[in-house]
Amino acid sequence: MDRDVKIGNNVKIQNNVSVYEGVIMEDDVFCGPSMVFTNVKTPRAAYPRNTSSDYARTLVKRGASIGANATIVCGVTIGEWAFVAAGAVVTKDVPPYVLVAGVPARITGWACECGIPLKFAGNVAACGECGKKYEKQGETTVERIA
């Protein structure tokens, strides 16, 4: 683990994960095996980057899960309870409760706080596992309502 890293309570960091300068993980974050955080904005072997201005902050908000072998490019925010699929490459911010997959990562659905994929009927979804309810507000914004 590098300097200037913040790791919240109840964070699970699986094997083979390096946490570099500028990464902030809030409480209850899950980092799957061999997932990668980058931290240098413009890496070059011939031009070493080693000052804090060369690094971009990455914020992983409360409850987010990052799957095995995913790559998180520096400078993004992963929203509360978002779910990054295994092998995804995240190059831009991920909204709360969103499920992203692919290279580059794209929104493929939504996830409950308990991790179960949500199925919306119109703008409302209820988790079949825990019963929590959510409302969609626009294309990418979801809020928990009960």
Side-chain angles (χ1 to χ4, degrees), residues 6-103:
K6 294 181 183 157
I7 298 175
N9 296 313
N10 199 38
V11 171
K12 177 80 173 177
I13 300 174
Q14 297 288 54
N15 58 308
N16 225 16
V17 175
S18 296
V19 182
Y20 296 110
E21 183 173 341
V23 173
I24 300 167
M25 288 183 268
E26 294 182 348
D27 296 344
D28 303 312
V29 168
F30 177 86
C31 296
S34 301
M35 61 80 46
V36 175
F37 288 107
T38 69
N39 70 337
V40 178
K41 296 180 272 188
T42 57
R44 292 278 195 219
Y47 298 91
R49 311 294 193 216
N50 54 12
T51 67
S52 58
S53 65
D54 295 323
Y55 303 123
R57 183 186 82 146
T58 299
L59 175 60
V60 184
K61 306 226 20 155
R62 180 171 186 238
S65 291
I66 303 169
N69 295 307
T71 300
I72 311 302
V73 175
C74 63
V76 302
T77 296
I78 299 175
E80 295 89 347
W81 306 105
F83 200 109
V84 177
V89 177
V90 176
T91 60
K92 59 185 179 179
D93 291 350
V94 176
Y97 300 105
V98 163
L99 170 61
V100 295
V103 179

Coordinates of all heavy atoms in Angstrom, one line a residue, residues 6-103:
K6 N -6.4 6.2 1.6 CA -7.4 6.1 2.7 C -8.3 4.9 2.5 O -8.9 4.7 1.4 CB -8.2 7.4 2.8 CG -7.3 8.6 3.2 CD -8.2 9.8 3.3 CE -7.2 11.0 3.6 NZ -7.7 12.3 3.2
I7 N -8.3 4.0 3.5 CA -9.2 2.9 3.5 C -10.1 2.9 4.6 O -9.7 3.0 5.8 CB -8.3 1.6 3.5 CG1 -7.4 1.5 2.3 CG2 -9.2 0.3 3.5 CD1 -6.4 0.4 2.2
G8 N -11.4 2.8 4.3 CA -12.5 2.9 5.3 C -12.6 1.6 6.1 O -11.9 0.7 6.0
N9 N -13.6 1.6 6.9 CA -13.9 0.4 7.8 C -14.6 -0.7 6.9 O -15.4 -0.4 6.0 CB -14.9 0.8 8.9 CG -14.2 1.8 9.9 OD1 -13.1 1.6 10.3 ND2 -15.0 2.8 10.2
N10 N -14.3 -1.9 7.3 CA -14.9 -3.1 6.7 C -14.7 -3.2 5.2 O -15.5 -3.7 4.4 CB -16.4 -3.1 7.0 CG -17.0 -4.5 6.8 OD1 -16.4 -5.5 7.1 ND2 -18.2 -4.5 6.2
V11 N -13.5 -2.7 4.7 CA -13.1 -2.8 3.3 C -12.5 -4.2 3.1 O -11.6 -4.6 3.9 CB -12.1 -1.7 2.9 CG1 -11.6 -1.9 1.6 CG2 -12.9 -0.4 3.0
K12 N -12.8 -4.9 2.1 CA -12.3 -6.2 1.8 C -11.4 -6.1 0.5 O -11.9 -5.7 -0.6 CB -13.4 -7.2 1.5 CG -13.0 -8.6 1.1 CD -12.6 -9.4 2.3 CE -12.3 -10.8 1.8 NZ -11.8 -11.7 2.8
I13 N -10.1 -6.3 0.7 CA -9.2 -6.2 -0.4 C -8.6 -7.6 -0.6 O -7.9 -8.1 0.2 CB -8.0 -5.2 -0.1 CG1 -8.6 -3.8 0.1 CG2 -7.0 -5.2 -1.3 CD1 -7.6 -2.8 0.6
Q14 N -9.0 -8.2 -1.7 CA -8.6 -9.6 -2.0 C -7.1 -9.6 -2.5 O -6.4 -8.6 -2.6 CB -9.5 -10.1 -3.1 CG -10.9 -10.2 -2.7 CD -11.2 -11.4 -1.7 OE1 -10.6 -11.4 -0.7 NE2 -12.1 -12.2 -2.0
N15 N -6.6 -10.8 -2.8 CA -5.2 -11.1 -3.1 C -4.9 -10.4 -4.4 O -5.6 -10.2 -5.3 CB -4.9 -12.6 -3.2 CG -5.8 -13.3 -4.2 OD1 -7.0 -13.1 -4.2 ND2 -5.2 -14.0 -5.1
N16 N -3.6 -10.0 -4.5 CA -3.0 -9.4 -5.7 C -3.5 -8.0 -6.1 O -3.5 -7.7 -7.2 CB -3.1 -10.4 -6.8 CG -1.9 -10.6 -7.6 OD1 -0.8 -10.2 -7.2 ND2 -2.0 -11.1 -8.8
V17 N -3.9 -7.2 -5.1 CA -4.4 -5.9 -5.4 C -3.4 -4.9 -4.8 O -3.1 -5.0 -3.6 CB -5.8 -5.7 -4.7 CG1 -6.3 -4.2 -4.9 CG2 -6.9 -6.6 -5.3
S18 N -3.0 -4.0 -5.6 CA -2.1 -2.9 -5.2 C -2.9 -1.6 -5.1 O -3.7 -1.3 -6.0 CB -1.0 -2.6 -6.2 OG -0.1 -3.8 -6.2
V19 N -2.8 -0.9 -3.9 CA -3.5 0.3 -3.7 C -2.5 1.4 -3.7 O -1.6 1.5 -2.8 CB -4.3 0.3 -2.4 CG1 -5.1 1.5 -2.2 CG2 -5.2 -1.0 -2.3
Y20 N -2.5 2.3 -4.7 CA -1.5 3.3 -4.9 C -2.0 4.7 -4.4 O -3.2 4.9 -4.1 CB -1.2 3.5 -6.4 CG -0.6 2.2 -7.0 CD1 -1.3 1.4 -7.9 CD2 0.7 1.9 -6.7 CE1 -0.7 0.3 -8.4 CE2 1.3 0.7 -7.2 CZ 0.6 -0.1 -8.1 OH 1.2 -1.2 -8.6
E21 N -1.0 5.6 -4.4 CA -1.2 7.0 -3.9 C -2.4 7.6 -4.6 O -2.6 7.4 -5.8 CB 0.0 7.8 -4.1 CG -0.1 9.2 -3.6 CD 1.2 10.0 -3.7 OE1 2.2 9.4 -3.8 OE2 1.1 11.2 -3.6
G22 N -3.3 8.2 -3.8 CA -4.5 8.9 -4.4 C -5.7 8.1 -4.4 O -6.8 8.6 -4.7
V23 N -5.7 6.9 -3.9 CA -6.9 6.0 -3.9 C -7.6 6.2 -2.5 O -6.9 6.1 -1.4 CB -6.6 4.5 -4.1 CG1 -7.8 3.7 -3.9 CG2 -6.1 4.3 -5.5
I24 N -8.8 6.5 -2.5 CA -9.6 6.6 -1.3 C -10.8 5.7 -1.4 O -11.6 5.7 -2.4 CB -10.2 8.1 -1.2 CG1 -9.1 9.1 -1.1 CG2 -11.1 8.2 0.1 CD1 -9.5 10.5 -1.2
M25 N -10.9 4.8 -0.4 CA -12.0 3.8 -0.4 C -12.8 4.1 0.9 O -12.3 4.1 2.0 CB -11.5 2.4 -0.3 CG -10.9 1.9 -1.7 SD -10.4 0.2 -1.7 CE -8.7 0.4 -1.2
E26 N -14.1 4.4 0.7 CA -15.0 4.6 1.9 C -15.3 3.2 2.5 O -14.8 2.2 2.1 CB -16.2 5.4 1.4 CG -15.9 6.8 1.0 CD -17.1 7.6 0.6 OE1 -18.2 7.0 0.5 OE2 -17.0 8.8 0.5
D27 N -16.2 3.2 3.5 CA -16.5 2.0 4.2 C -17.2 1.0 3.3 O -17.9 1.3 2.3 CB -17.5 2.3 5.4 CG -16.9 3.2 6.4 OD1 -15.6 3.3 6.5 OD2 -17.6 3.8 7.2
D28 N -17.0 -0.3 3.6 CA -17.7 -1.4 3.0 C -17.4 -1.6 1.5 O -18.2 -2.2 0.8 CB -19.3 -1.3 3.2 CG -19.6 -1.2 4.7 OD1 -19.2 -2.0 5.5 OD2 -20.4 -0.2 5.0
V29 N -16.3 -1.2 1.1 CA -15.9 -1.4 -0.3 C -15.3 -2.8 -0.5 O -14.6 -3.3 0.4 CB -14.8 -0.4 -0.8 CG1 -14.2 -0.7 -2.1 CG2 -15.5 1.0 -0.8
F30 N -15.6 -3.5 -1.6 CA -15.0 -4.8 -2.0 C -14.1 -4.6 -3.2 O -14.6 -4.1 -4.2 CB -16.1 -5.8 -2.2 CG -15.6 -7.1 -2.6 CD1 -15.2 -8.1 -1.7 CD2 -15.4 -7.4 -4.0 CE1 -14.7 -9.3 -2.1 CE2 -14.9 -8.7 -4.4 CZ -14.6 -9.6 -3.4
C31 N -12.9 -5.1 -3.1 CA -11.9 -5.1 -4.2 C -11.6 -6.6 -4.5 O -10.9 -7.3 -3.7 CB -10.6 -4.4 -3.9 SG -10.9 -2.6 -3.6
G32 N -12.0 -7.1 -5.7 CA -11.9 -8.5 -6.1 C -10.4 -8.8 -6.4 O -9.6 -7.9 -6.6
P33 N -10.1 -10.1 -6.5 CA -8.7 -10.5 -6.8 C -8.2 -9.9 -8.1 O -8.8 -9.8 -9.1 CB -8.9 -12.0 -6.9 CG -10.1 -12.4 -6.3 CD -11.0 -11.2 -6.4
S34 N -6.9 -9.5 -8.0 CA -6.1 -8.9 -9.1 C -6.8 -7.7 -9.8 O -6.4 -7.4 -10.9 CB -5.9 -10.1 -10.1 OG -5.2 -11.1 -9.5
M35 N -7.7 -7.0 -9.2 CA -8.2 -5.8 -9.8 C -7.1 -4.8 -9.6 O -6.2 -4.9 -8.8 CB -9.5 -5.3 -9.2 CG -9.6 -5.0 -7.7 SD -8.9 -3.4 -7.2 CE -9.6 -2.2 -8.3
V36 N -7.1 -3.7 -10.5 CA -6.0 -2.8 -10.6 C -6.5 -1.3 -10.4 O -7.4 -1.0 -11.1 CB -5.3 -2.9 -11.9 CG1 -4.2 -1.9 -12.1 CG2 -4.7 -4.3 -12.1
F37 N -5.8 -0.6 -9.6 CA -6.0 0.9 -9.5 C -4.8 1.5 -10.2 O -3.7 1.1 -10.0 CB -6.0 1.4 -8.1 CG -7.2 1.1 -7.3 CD1 -7.2 0.1 -6.3 CD2 -8.4 1.7 -7.5 CE1 -8.3 -0.2 -5.5 CE2 -9.5 1.5 -6.8 CZ -9.5 0.5 -5.8
T38 N -5.0 2.4 -11.1 CA -3.9 3.2 -11.7 C -3.8 4.5 -10.9 O -4.8 4.9 -10.3 CB -4.0 3.4 -13.2 OG1 -5.1 4.3 -13.4 CG2 -4.2 2.1 -13.9
N39 N -2.7 5.2 -11.0 CA -2.7 6.5 -10.3 C -1.9 7.6 -11.0 O -2.0 8.7 -10.7 CB -2.1 6.4 -8.9 CG -0.6 6.1 -8.9 OD1 -0.1 5.6 -9.8 ND2 0.0 6.3 -7.7
V40 N -1.2 7.3 -12.1 CA -0.5 8.3 -12.9 C -1.3 8.7 -14.1 O -1.7 7.8 -14.9 CB 0.9 7.8 -13.3 CG1 1.6 8.8 -14.1 CG2 1.7 7.4 -12.0
K41 N -1.5 10.0 -14.3 CA -2.3 10.5 -15.4 C -1.6 10.2 -16.8 O -2.3 9.9 -17.7 CB -2.6 12.0 -15.2 CG -3.4 12.3 -14.0 CD -3.7 13.8 -13.9 CE -2.6 14.4 -13.1 NZ -2.8 15.8 -12.8
T42 N -0.3 10.4 -16.8 CA 0.4 10.3 -18.1 C 1.7 9.5 -17.9 O 2.8 10.1 -18.0 CB 0.7 11.7 -18.7 OG1 1.5 12.4 -17.7 CG2 -0.5 12.5 -19.0
P43 N 1.6 8.2 -17.8 CA 2.8 7.4 -17.5 C 3.7 7.3 -18.7 O 3.3 7.1 -19.8 CB 2.2 6.0 -17.1 CG 0.9 6.0 -17.8 CD 0.4 7.4 -17.9
R44 N 5.0 7.4 -18.4 CA 6.1 7.2 -19.4 C 7.3 6.7 -18.7 O 7.7 7.3 -17.7 CB 6.5 8.5 -20.1 CG 5.4 9.1 -21.0 CD 5.4 8.5 -22.3 NE 4.7 9.2 -23.3 CZ 3.9 8.7 -24.2 NH1 3.8 7.4 -24.3 NH2 3.2 9.5 -25.0
A45 N 7.9 5.6 -19.2 CA 9.1 5.1 -18.6 C 10.3 6.1 -18.7 O 11.1 6.2 -17.8 CB 9.5 3.8 -19.2
A46 N 10.4 6.8 -19.8 CA 11.5 7.7 -20.0 C 11.3 9.0 -19.2 O 12.3 9.8 -19.1 CB 11.6 8.1 -21.5
Y47 N 10.1 9.3 -18.7 CA 9.8 10.5 -17.9 C 9.1 10.1 -16.6 O 7.9 10.2 -16.6 CB 8.9 11.5 -18.8 CG 9.6 11.9 -20.0 CD1 9.5 11.2 -21.2 CD2 10.4 13.1 -20.0 CE1 10.1 11.7 -22.4 CE2 11.1 13.5 -21.2 CZ 10.9 12.8 -22.3 OH 11.5 13.2 -23.5
P48 N 9.9 9.7 -15.7 CA 9.3 9.2 -14.4 C 8.4 10.3 -13.8 O 8.7 11.5 -13.8 CB 10.5 9.0 -13.5 CG 11.6 8.8 -14.4 CD 11.3 9.7 -15.6
R49 N 7.3 9.8 -13.3 CA 6.3 10.7 -12.6 C 6.4 10.4 -11.1 O 6.1 9.3 -10.7 CB 4.9 10.5 -13.1 CG 4.7 10.5 -14.6 CD 5.0 11.8 -15.2 NE 4.5 11.8 -16.6 CZ 5.0 12.4 -17.6 NH1 6.1 13.1 -17.4 NH2 4.6 12.4 -18.8
N50 N 6.7 11.3 -10.3 CA 6.9 11.0 -8.9 C 6.5 12.2 -8.0 O 7.0 12.3 -6.9 CB 8.3 10.5 -8.6 CG 9.4 11.4 -9.0 OD1 9.1 12.5 -9.4 ND2 10.6 10.9 -9.0
T51 N 5.7 13.1 -8.5 CA 5.2 14.2 -7.6 C 3.7 14.1 -7.5 O 3.1 13.5 -8.4 CB 5.6 15.6 -8.1 OG1 4.9 15.8 -9.3 CG2 7.1 15.7 -8.4
S52 N 3.2 14.6 -6.4 CA 1.7 14.4 -6.2 C 0.9 15.1 -7.3 O -0.2 14.6 -7.6 CB 1.3 15.0 -4.8 OG 1.7 16.4 -4.8
S53 N 1.5 16.0 -8.0 CA 0.7 16.7 -9.1 C 0.6 15.7 -10.3 O -0.2 15.9 -11.2 CB 1.4 18.0 -9.6 OG 2.6 17.7 -10.1
D54 N 1.4 14.7 -10.4 CA 1.4 13.7 -11.5 C 0.2 12.6 -11.2 O -0.1 11.9 -12.2 CB 2.7 12.9 -11.6 CG 3.8 13.8 -12.0 OD1 3.6 14.7 -12.8 OD2 4.9 13.6 -11.5
Y55 N -0.3 12.6 -10.0 CA -1.3 11.6 -9.7 C -2.7 12.2 -9.7 O -2.9 13.3 -9.4 CB -1.0 11.0 -8.3 CG 0.4 10.4 -8.2 CD1 1.3 10.9 -7.2 CD2 0.8 9.4 -9.0 CE1 2.6 10.4 -7.1 CE2 2.1 8.9 -8.9 CZ 3.0 9.4 -7.9 OH 4.2 8.8 -7.8
A56 N -3.6 11.3 -10.0 CA -5.1 11.7 -10.0 C -5.8 10.9 -8.9 O -5.5 9.7 -8.7 CB -5.7 11.5 -11.3
R57 N -6.6 11.6 -8.1 CA -7.4 10.9 -7.0 C -8.4 10.0 -7.6 O -9.1 10.4 -8.6 CB -8.0 12.0 -6.2 CG -8.7 11.4 -5.0 CD -9.5 12.5 -4.2 NE -10.7 12.7 -4.9 CZ -11.8 13.1 -4.4 NH1 -11.9 13.3 -3.1 NH2 -12.9 13.3 -5.1
T58 N -8.6 8.8 -7.0 CA -9.7 7.9 -7.3 C -10.5 7.7 -6.1 O -9.9 7.4 -5.0 CB -9.1 6.6 -7.8 OG1 -8.3 6.8 -9.0 CG2 -10.2 5.6 -8.1
L59 N -11.8 7.9 -6.2 CA -12.7 7.7 -5.0 C -13.6 6.6 -5.2 O -14.3 6.6 -6.2 CB -13.4 9.0 -4.8 CG -14.5 9.0 -3.7 CD1 -13.9 8.7 -2.3 CD2 -15.2 10.4 -3.6
V60 N -13.6 5.6 -4.3 CA -14.6 4.5 -4.3 C -15.5 4.7 -3.1 O -15.1 4.6 -2.0 CB -13.8 3.2 -4.3 CG1 -14.9 2.0 -4.4 CG2 -12.8 3.1 -5.3
K61 N -16.7 5.0 -3.4 CA -17.7 5.4 -2.4 C -18.3 4.1 -1.7 O -18.1 3.0 -2.1 CB -18.8 6.2 -3.0 CG -18.2 7.4 -3.7 CD -18.7 8.8 -3.6 CE -19.5 9.2 -2.5 NZ -19.4 10.6 -2.2
R62 N -18.9 4.4 -0.6 CA -19.4 3.4 0.3 C -20.2 2.2 -0.4 O -21.0 2.5 -1.2 CB -20.3 4.0 1.4 CG -20.9 3.0 2.3 CD -21.6 3.6 3.5 NE -21.9 2.5 4.4 CZ -23.1 2.2 4.8 NH1 -24.1 2.9 4.4 NH2 -23.3 1.2 5.6
G63 N -19.8 1.0 0.0 CA -20.5 -0.2 -0.5 C -20.2 -0.6 -1.9 O -20.7 -1.6 -2.3
A64 N -19.4 0.1 -2.7 CA -19.1 -0.3 -4.0 C -18.3 -1.6 -4.1 O -17.5 -1.9 -3.2 CB -18.3 0.8 -4.8
S65 N -18.5 -2.4 -5.2 CA -17.8 -3.6 -5.4 C -17.1 -3.6 -6.7 O -17.7 -3.2 -7.7 CB -18.8 -4.8 -5.4 OG -19.3 -5.0 -4.1
I66 N -15.8 -4.0 -6.7 CA -15.0 -4.1 -7.9 C -14.6 -5.5 -8.2 O -14.0 -6.1 -7.3 CB -13.8 -3.2 -7.8 CG1 -14.2 -1.7 -7.5 CG2 -13.0 -3.2 -9.1 CD1 -13.1 -0.8 -7.1
G67 N -15.0 -6.1 -9.3 CA -14.8 -7.5 -9.6 C -13.4 -7.8 -9.9 O -12.5 -6.9 -10.2
A68 N -13.1 -9.1 -10.0 CA -11.7 -9.6 -10.2 C -11.2 -9.1 -11.6 O -12.0 -9.0 -12.6 CB -11.8 -11.1 -10.2
N69 N -10.0 -8.7 -11.6 CA -9.3 -8.3 -12.8 C -9.8 -7.0 -13.5 O -9.5 -6.7 -14.6 CB -9.2 -9.4 -13.9 CG -8.4 -10.6 -13.4 OD1 -7.2 -10.4 -13.0 ND2 -8.9 -11.8 -13.4
A70 N -10.7 -6.3 -12.8 CA -11.1 -5.0 -13.3 C -10.0 -4.0 -13.2 O -9.1 -4.1 -12.3 CB -12.3 -4.5 -12.5
T71 N -10.0 -3.0 -14.0 CA -9.0 -1.9 -14.0 C -9.8 -0.6 -13.8 O -10.7 -0.3 -14.5 CB -8.2 -1.8 -15.3 OG1 -7.5 -3.1 -15.5 CG2 -7.2 -0.7 -15.3
I72 N -9.3 0.2 -12.8 CA -9.9 1.5 -12.5 C -8.9 2.5 -12.9 O -7.8 2.7 -12.2 CB -10.3 1.6 -11.0 CG1 -11.1 0.4 -10.5 CG2 -11.0 2.9 -10.8 CD1 -12.4 0.1 -11.3
V73 N -9.1 3.3 -13.9 CA -8.2 4.3 -14.4 C -8.3 5.5 -13.4 O -9.4 5.8 -13.0 CB -8.5 4.7 -15.8 CG1 -7.7 5.9 -16.3 CG2 -8.3 3.5 -16.8
C74 N -7.2 6.1 -13.1 CA -7.2 7.1 -12.1 C -8.0 8.3 -12.4 O -8.3 8.6 -13.6 CB -5.7 7.6 -11.8 SG -4.9 8.3 -13.1
G75 N -8.5 9.0 -11.4 CA -9.3 10.2 -11.6 C -10.8 10.0 -11.6 O -11.5 11.0 -11.8
V76 N -11.3 8.8 -11.4 CA -12.7 8.5 -11.5 C -13.3 8.4 -10.1 O -12.5 8.1 -9.1 CB -13.1 7.3 -12.3 CG1 -12.6 7.4 -13.7 CG2 -12.6 6.0 -11.7
T77 N -14.6 8.5 -10.0 CA -15.3 8.2 -8.8 C -16.3 7.1 -9.1 O -17.0 7.1 -10.1 CB -16.1 9.4 -8.3 OG1 -15.2 10.5 -8.0 CG2 -17.0 9.1 -7.1
I78 N -16.3 6.1 -8.2 CA -17.2 5.0 -8.3 C -18.3 5.2 -7.2 O -17.9 5.3 -6.0 CB -16.5 3.6 -8.1 CG1 -15.5 3.4 -9.3 CG2 -17.5 2.5 -8.1 CD1 -14.6 2.2 -9.1
G79 N -19.5 5.4 -7.6 CA -20.6 5.8 -6.7 C -21.0 4.7 -5.7 O -20.6 3.5 -5.7
E80 N -21.8 5.2 -4.7 CA -22.2 4.3 -3.6 C -22.9 3.1 -4.2 O -23.7 3.2 -5.1 CB -23.2 5.0 -2.7 CG -22.6 6.2 -1.9 CD -22.7 7.5 -2.7 OE1 -23.0 7.5 -3.9 OE2 -22.4 8.5 -2.0
W81 N -22.6 1.9 -3.6 CA -23.2 0.6 -3.9 C -23.1 0.3 -5.4 O -23.9 -0.6 -5.9 CB -24.6 0.6 -3.4 CG -24.7 0.9 -2.0 CD1 -25.1 2.1 -1.4 CD2 -24.3 0.1 -0.9 NE1 -25.0 2.1 -0.1 CE2 -24.5 0.8 0.3 CE3 -23.8 -1.2 -0.8 CZ2 -24.2 0.3 1.6 CZ3 -23.5 -1.7 0.5 CH2 -23.7 -0.9 1.6
A82 N -22.3 0.9 -6.2 CA -22.1 0.5 -7.6 C -21.4 -0.8 -7.7 O -20.7 -1.2 -6.7 CB -21.3 1.6 -8.3
F83 N -21.5 -1.5 -8.8 CA -20.9 -2.8 -9.0 C -20.2 -2.8 -10.3 O -20.7 -2.6 -11.4 CB -22.0 -3.8 -9.1 CG -21.6 -5.2 -8.8 CD1 -21.9 -5.8 -7.6 CD2 -20.8 -5.9 -9.7 CE1 -21.5 -7.1 -7.3 CE2 -20.4 -7.2 -9.4 CZ -20.7 -7.8 -8.2
V84 N -18.8 -3.0 -10.3 CA -18.0 -3.1 -11.4 C -17.7 -4.5 -11.7 O -17.2 -5.3 -10.9 CB -16.7 -2.3 -11.2 CG1 -15.7 -2.5 -12.4 CG2 -16.9 -0.8 -10.9
A85 N -18.1 -5.0 -12.9 CA -18.0 -6.4 -13.2 C -16.6 -6.8 -13.4 O -15.7 -6.0 -13.7 CB -18.8 -6.7 -14.5
A86 N -16.3 -8.1 -13.3 CA -15.0 -8.7 -13.4 C -14.5 -8.3 -14.8 O -15.2 -8.4 -15.8 CB -15.0 -10.2 -13.3
G87 N -13.2 -7.9 -14.9 CA -12.6 -7.6 -16.2 C -12.9 -6.3 -16.8 O -12.4 -5.9 -17.9
A88 N -13.8 -5.5 -16.2 CA -14.2 -4.2 -16.8 C -13.0 -3.2 -16.7 O -12.2 -3.3 -15.8 CB -15.4 -3.6 -16.0
V89 N -13.0 -2.2 -17.6 CA -12.1 -1.2 -17.5 C -12.8 0.1 -17.3 O -13.5 0.6 -18.3 CB -11.2 -1.1 -18.8 CG1 -10.2 0.1 -18.7 CG2 -10.4 -2.4 -18.9
V90 N -12.7 0.7 -16.1 CA -13.5 1.9 -15.8 C -12.7 3.2 -16.2 O -11.6 3.4 -15.6 CB -13.9 2.0 -14.3 CG1 -14.6 3.3 -13.9 CG2 -14.8 0.8 -14.0
T91 N -13.2 4.0 -17.1 CA -12.4 5.1 -17.6 C -13.2 6.4 -17.3 O -12.7 7.5 -17.5 CB -12.2 5.1 -19.1 OG1 -13.5 5.0 -19.8 CG2 -11.4 3.9 -19.5
K92 N -14.4 6.3 -16.7 CA -15.1 7.5 -16.3 C -16.0 7.2 -15.1 O -16.1 6.1 -14.7 CB -16.0 8.1 -17.5 CG -17.0 7.1 -18.0 CD -17.8 7.6 -19.2 CE -18.8 6.6 -19.7 NZ -19.5 7.1 -20.8
D93 N -16.5 8.2 -14.5 CA -17.3 8.1 -13.2 C -18.4 7.1 -13.4 O -19.1 7.0 -14.4 CB -17.9 9.4 -12.8 CG -16.8 10.4 -12.3 OD1 -15.6 10.0 -12.2 OD2 -17.2 11.6 -12.1
V94 N -18.7 6.3 -12.3 CA -19.7 5.3 -12.3 C -20.8 5.8 -11.3 O -20.4 6.0 -10.1 CB -19.2 4.0 -11.8 CG1 -20.3 3.0 -11.7 CG2 -18.1 3.5 -12.8
P95 N -22.0 6.0 -11.7 CA -23.0 6.5 -10.8 C -23.4 5.5 -9.7 O -23.1 4.3 -9.8 CB -24.3 6.8 -11.7 CG -23.7 6.9 -13.1 CD -22.5 6.0 -13.1
P96 N -24.0 6.0 -8.6 CA -24.4 5.1 -7.5 C -25.4 4.0 -8.0 O -26.2 4.3 -8.9 CB -25.2 6.0 -6.5 CG -24.6 7.3 -6.8 CD -24.3 7.4 -8.3
Y97 N -25.3 2.8 -7.5 CA -26.2 1.7 -7.7 C -26.1 1.1 -9.2 O -26.9 0.2 -9.5 CB -27.7 2.0 -7.4 CG -27.9 2.4 -6.0 CD1 -28.1 3.7 -5.6 CD2 -27.9 1.5 -5.0 CE1 -28.3 4.1 -4.3 CE2 -28.1 1.8 -3.7 CZ -28.3 3.1 -3.3 OH -28.6 3.5 -2.0
V98 N -25.2 1.6 -10.0 CA -25.1 1.2 -11.3 C -24.2 -0.1 -11.4 O -23.3 -0.3 -10.7 CB -24.5 2.3 -12.2 CG1 -24.0 1.8 -13.5 CG2 -25.6 3.4 -12.4
L99 N -24.5 -1.0 -12.4 CA -23.7 -2.1 -12.7 C -23.0 -1.8 -14.1 O -23.7 -1.4 -15.0 CB -24.6 -3.4 -12.9 CG -23.9 -4.6 -13.5 CD1 -22.8 -5.1 -12.6 CD2 -25.0 -5.7 -13.6
V100 N -21.7 -1.8 -14.1 CA -21.0 -1.6 -15.3 C -20.1 -2.8 -15.7 O -19.7 -3.5 -14.8 CB -20.0 -0.3 -15.2 CG1 -20.8 1.0 -15.0 CG2 -19.0 -0.5 -14.1
A101 N -20.0 -3.0 -17.0 CA -19.2 -4.1 -17.5 C -18.6 -3.7 -18.8 O -19.1 -2.8 -19.5 CB -20.1 -5.3 -17.7
G102 N -17.5 -4.4 -19.2 CA -17.0 -4.2 -20.6 C -15.7 -3.4 -20.6 O -15.3 -2.9 -19.6
V103 N -15.2 -3.2 -21.8 CA -14.0 -2.4 -22.1 C -14.3 -1.5 -23.2 O -14.5 -1.9 -24.3 CB -12.8 -3.3 -22.4 CG1 -11.6 -2.5 -22.7 CG2 -12.6 -4.4 -21.4

